[in-house]
Amino acid sequence: MKKLILLFVCCLMAWGVTVPANAKGIIKIGGVGPLSAPGSFESGKEMKMAMEQAIEEINAAGGVLGKEVALVFEDTQGLPEKGTAAMERLVLKHKAVAVVGEFHSSVAKAEIEVANRLKVPLIIAEAWADVITAKQYKYVFRIAPANSLFYRKIANWIHAAGFKNVVMITENSDYGIGVERVIREQLKNAGIKMTSITAERTIQDFTPQLLRFKLATPRPDLLFGIFTGAGELLMVKQAHEIGFAPTKETALFAVGTDALHKEFWEITGQSGQYVLTKTGYYPGIKFTEKTDPFIKRFKEKYNREPTFAAMEAYEAVYLVAHALKRAGSTDPDALVAALEKTRFTGLRGVIRFSLDREPAYMYHQWPGTPAFVIQYTQVNQPYTDALLLWPKAHSNGQLMKP
């Protein structure tokens, strides 16, 4: 029988008939993200872990459309050109029916162009630049927050906390520049002074910039580090070593998701105490019935606490599977139509995709992404034990200073 099937397939190919990519009973979902430098590889590894967990669960429940689901993951290294090549391999070589992931906005910008050109659905899990959805491409969706959605909330906290003189060191990337723009606009409207310096993502010594701010008059009361990867952690360590921040005079807010990983403490050590950061998840707040079981399984499987980046990656895989089931097909246009009608209970709420075209970044964007401000009060503290400062309705403490 197998020989007859093989002969039939060969005849079809000889006659110019296309054999479906999933004829062998496997539906491939592509994954993209940084697994090596210069990208934020700790975040990329965590996202891949979460995707693999979702794939295992989906297959254990019977797969999709009667077929097994497989993840094919490509390392984008935090480089746009690698993102382009990864997307092309996933679609053209591996025949992925959809792609999920990415951490870096500059890489996602390159990836959405491939998704648009090759007409394959792409769900961005953890890249925040407004432009990603503002281009309003048919095949591009996002469950990560847009910068404008999230950082307006963070700016509200800065105002509410009473800061008057804010300084920023911003990585020269779509993400960093986008965050700086949103916060600058919000702080200007609130009458709060803000000064910003842009630095390349590859920088390892922030001492000159930090000393410039430390010696300024009046001294800044908040340092905002808009960096990802190793740069963020080095900035925290160096700011503390020169006695600038976090100190009684100057608080330090590390924006990147890397501040949530346990590896944060391996580099920062004592310097990480009293550091502020943000998260899209905080324990003890009721999200959905799926949240706690996911966290329990993730910790058992990988021996680490998942961040919201892992949650987004996990949700993105399930969103593709959910859309495949409702579409009853792997056809890309059918998948897009199904995704646009999504009402899926995820880990942090009910996910749907906006069809609004104003503001531009809202198109195919999940508008319900949560935002929290937390502060570490002890060395080696898991982010889930950190002090929750914002939003006020959920706060369990006040800003602490050394």
Side-chain angles (χ1 to χ4, degrees), residues 187-208:
L187 296 190
K188 181 180 179 180
N189 292 337
I192 299 172
K193 180 183 177 182
M194 195 191 94
T195 305
S196 178
I197 294 175
T198 302
E200 295 303 316
R201 280 180 54 198
T202 53
I203 190 173
Q204 294 190 356
D205 185 7
F206 295 89
T207 306

Side-chain angles (χ1 to χ4, degrees), residues 233 236 258-259 261-269 272 275 376:
L233 311 187
V236 169
D258 299 86
H261 297 307
K262 61 182 181 180
E263 290 79 10
F264 170 79
W265 296 106
E266 294 175 6
I267 293 180
T268 64
V275 165
Y376 291 120

